[in-house]
Amino acid sequence: PAGDGPGSRFRNFAALAADGAPVLVLGGSTFMGRELVQQLVARSARVCVVNRGRRYWGTDDPSGGRAARLIADRRDTASFVALLGEATDRLGCDWALVADFSAYNGADIRCALAGLKGRFATYVYISSDSVYEVSAWAGEEWLPRKESKGEPVVAEVDSARPEASSTRRRLKKADSYGDGKLEAEEALAEGLREAASSA
């Protein structure tokens, strides 16, 4: 349905008419996402939560009606892209922040970026420490690094993929979740680079 009621994909979009920074939360139903949504609405941000509309722990709206909601599923790429575009059009301006809790692979990130069409200031992707399980360092069986004195220090750059395709395949087989999350990080970096170069 095209309206803004309970049967619609767009719910409570009147919440976006208030003052405050507009924030789009992809996911946001459970754990960290739910907490972020609650913190944002407590700070008077204009929040839109995008999820599949499933019920968790007795509620399908963790914001208690204080955030707009868009029911969309990334697995239906064309619909997801169109609905994100329409939600942004309804907002009437760019999102100050996109917080993405629900991307599991590069395709998930690419469809979000396609729907947003660059209409955001900051995109934050909540990944996983599992990306290190498919990194070049993991491919080296976690050999001590020369710069490490004592306990190894893991930095963001350590999530780079190994060069050898055979090592990549072995690590992906051992941790497909981490492989997908790293693929999402790579897709976001590439998408942001492409957007910057075409601007």
Side-chain angles (χ1 to χ4, degrees):
D4 193 31
S8 169
R9 289 182 176 269
F10 296 91
R11 299 180 185 171
N12 195 29
F13 263 60
L16 297 178
D19 291 330
V23 178
L24 183 69
V25 179
L26 303 175
S29 298
T30 60
F31 307 117
M32 293 185 302
R34 178 185 187 127
E35 182 63 25
L36 176 67
V37 168
Q38 291 172 346
Q39 292 294 321
L40 288 167
V41 295
R43 288 170 172 75
S44 301
R46 295 184 288 160
V47 179
C48 179
V49 176
V50 181
N51 58 37
R52 292 175 289 175
R54 296 172 66 188
R55 295 181 66 85
Y56 295 96
W57 293 291
T59 183
D60 66 351
D61 180 7
S63 78
R66 297 176 293 164
R69 295 188 60 227
L70 171 59
I71 306 305
D73 189 339
R74 289 189 211 233
R75 295 174 294 188
D76 182 350
T77 303
S79 175
F80 191 83
V81 167
L83 290 167
L84 271 190
E86 184 177 343
T88 305
D89 291 344
R90 286 183 178 210
L91 176 67
C93 65
D94 290 355
W95 299 101
L97 170 67
V98 176
D100 191 342
F101 289 89
S102 61
Y104 284 101
N105 55 45
D108 288 348
I109 290 287
R110 285 187 289 277
C111 78
L113 292 174
L116 292 166
K117 298 180 184 112
R119 296 180 292 176
F120 58 88
T122 303
Y123 196 115
V124 176
Y125 172 54
I126 292 52
S127 186
S128 168
D129 63 353
S130 292
V131 299
Y132 299 103
E133 297 296 330
V134 295
S135 70
W137 197 5
E140 298 165 0
E141 304 297 331
W142 302 101
L143 291 173
R145 300 277 169 102
K146 290 179 185 175
E147 64 274 7
S148 177
K149 295 178 176 78
E151 288 294 316
V153 176
V154 178
E156 188 70 25
V157 297
D158 292 321
S159 68
R161 286 194 188 273
E163 290 183 24
S165 59
S166 60
T167 304
R168 286 183 180 203
R169 283 192 303 274
R170 177 176 56 82
L171 294 172
K172 180 179 182 176
K173 185 177 181 181
D175 191 339
S176 62
Y177 173 78
D179 185 76
K181 289 298 231 179
L182 183 53
E183 181 183 88
E185 288 183 15
E186 294 163 341
L188 179 57
E190 179 182 341
L192 294 177
R193 273 192 308 275
E194 288 173 4
S197 68
S198 66

